[in-house]
Amino acid sequence: MKPATVTPGGKALRLSFEFFPPKTPEGESQLWETAGALSAYDPGFMSVTYGAGGTTKVPTLATVGHLLKMGLPAASHLTCVGATKEETHAVVADFQGVGVKHFVALRGDPPGGVGAPYQPHPGGYANAAELVAGLRGLGFEISVSAYPEKHPQSPDVAADVDMLKRKVDAGATRALTQFFFENDDFERYLERVRKAGIFIPIVPGILPVHNLSQVQKFAGMCGATVPGWLADRLGPVDDRPQERAAVAVELAIRQVEDLIARGIDEFHFYTMNRSMLVSAVCDGVGFAKAERSRAAGAAA
């Protein structure tokens, strides 16, 4: 990833952004506008999520293809749950056909949803580590996931770290974490990862809070924690959008600045397909902007 800006101490900082496939024409327009606006921060890549079992293959493929046509560095998520290796390879070929060179390789949620028992598909990749190995043999850049507070289906943090080590040994070169709000949790996780001999970048996932109840729901599904102090700050202004946005931006800026002070130099923003809060955070932290962002809908 290329540097987006440099701290006063001379450290290069890097950014990436995550989107999900839009479901409506209005959502498409919003996404292209968001991607165009955030391109001003010269991100290393913009990733697009992919539903387990290929449930969003077509919209994800279309979204990634459009971002690439806009001249943006798009990457696609890819899951292996519910598919044979041949089916997964066919999906990879489709994405390769539109110019994808970078995947975020994930196992994916079980067909029964979060919390349901996971069973590898017969003839498929059993887990994300096997998927990484398969992709690496095809020459792609590969990012993977990491969980500072433990994946909800892992028995303990040690098992989580072991799985990350397996993904790295298979060829992953970057790990993007689930969102978190307590930087001490991230730092403790990073210390365990380094002690395990994992030295790829562990990129913190930052989520500026657009909607408190929505984030609490997401957190319950992915094993993340919404601290009481965050709910105490956002709850009283939840019905006042401008005040809520100001508080959310303030908290995210504080989180990123504290991580920079701890030596972190890469950040992955969960955008929710909106640019306002993310842009405000990036501006508040001092990430450099290019003179001109990509026009919304360019190369449509």
Side-chain angles (χ1 to χ4, degrees), residues 3-6 13 15 38-43 282-283 285-291:
T5 193
V6 178
L13 300 177
L15 292 174
L38 296 180
S39 71
Y41 299 98
D42 201 17
C282 290
D283 291 343
V285 172
F287 286 105
K289 262 187 175 181
E291 290 186 5

Side-chain angles (χ1 to χ4, degrees), residues 14-289:
R14 297 169 173 83
L15 292 174
S16 56
F17 302 112
E18 183 167 305
F19 308 124
F20 56 83
K23 296 181 179 179
T24 65
E26 294 76 17
E28 284 188 11
S29 297
Q30 177 177 294
L31 176 52
W32 311 144
E33 182 177 349
T34 296
L38 296 180
S39 71
Y41 299 98
D42 201 17
F45 63 92
M46 297 177 167
S47 65
V48 181
T49 61
Y50 181 91
T55 53
T56 67
K57 174 194 165 183
V58 172
T60 298
L61 183 64
T63 302
V64 172
H66 189 100
L67 292 173
L68 289 168
K69 286 181 180 179
M70 290 174 67
L72 299 174
S76 180
H77 287 213
L78 180 70
T79 65
C80 60
V81 66
T84 65
K85 290 181 181 179
E86 290 74 18
E87 289 168 337
T88 300
H89 290 175
V91 170
V92 170
D94 287 340
F95 280 89
Q96 191 173 25
V98 301
V100 172
K101 299 178 180 178
H102 179 183
F103 283 104
V104 180
L106 310 164
R107 187 199 72 184
D109 295 325
V114 177
Y118 172 74
Q119 292 292 333
H121 190 283
Y125 291 111
N127 51 48
E130 288 192 8
L131 177 60
V132 169
L135 289 173
R136 176 57 64 187
L138 299 173
F140 292 100
E141 178 182 358
I142 306 168
S143 298
V144 293
S145 60
Y147 299 85
E149 299 177 78
K150 188 180 80 64
H151 189 283
Q153 292 185 321
S154 291
D156 50 45
V157 176
D160 241 20
V161 174
D162 179 67
M163 175 52 70
L164 179 58
K165 181 69 163 59
R166 292 170 63 188
K167 290 187 283 191
V168 173
D169 290 344
T173 57
R174 178 189 302 104
L176 309 171
T177 80
Q178 182 57 264
F179 68 83
F180 60 92
F181 298 103
E182 295 283 8
N183 287 352
D184 287 347
D185 290 339
F186 175 80
E187 189 166 17
R188 281 190 293 267
Y189 176 75
L190 187 59
E191 289 173 356
R192 297 193 69 159
V193 163
R194 298 307 186 215
K195 286 180 182 178
I198 301 169
F199 298 108
I200 64 169
I202 309 297
V203 184
I206 306 298
L207 177 63
V209 180
H210 291 87
N211 181 296
L212 179 60
S213 61
Q214 183 183 54
V215 170
Q216 289 171 325
K217 178 181 177 180
F218 288 163
M221 295 170 61
C222 67
T225 300
V226 176
W229 58 260
L230 187 144
D232 289 343
R233 288 294 310 277
L234 287 169
V237 296
D238 197 44
D239 60 347
R240 301 195 291 275
Q242 289 187 328
E243 292 181 52
R244 183 182 66 223
V247 172
V249 168
E250 173 202 337
L251 295 177
I253 289 174
R254 186 182 304 170
Q255 180 181 19
V256 172
E257 289 181 335
D258 181 63
L259 288 168
I260 292 172
R262 297 179 191 222
I264 304 304
D265 58 8
E266 295 186 25
F267 299 90
H268 185 68
F269 281 89
Y270 294 99
T271 70
M272 304 305 295
N273 288 11
R274 305 176 192 175
S275 64
M276 185 183 72
L277 295 190
V278 176
S279 292
V281 173
C282 290
D283 291 343
V285 172
F287 286 105
K289 262 187 175 181

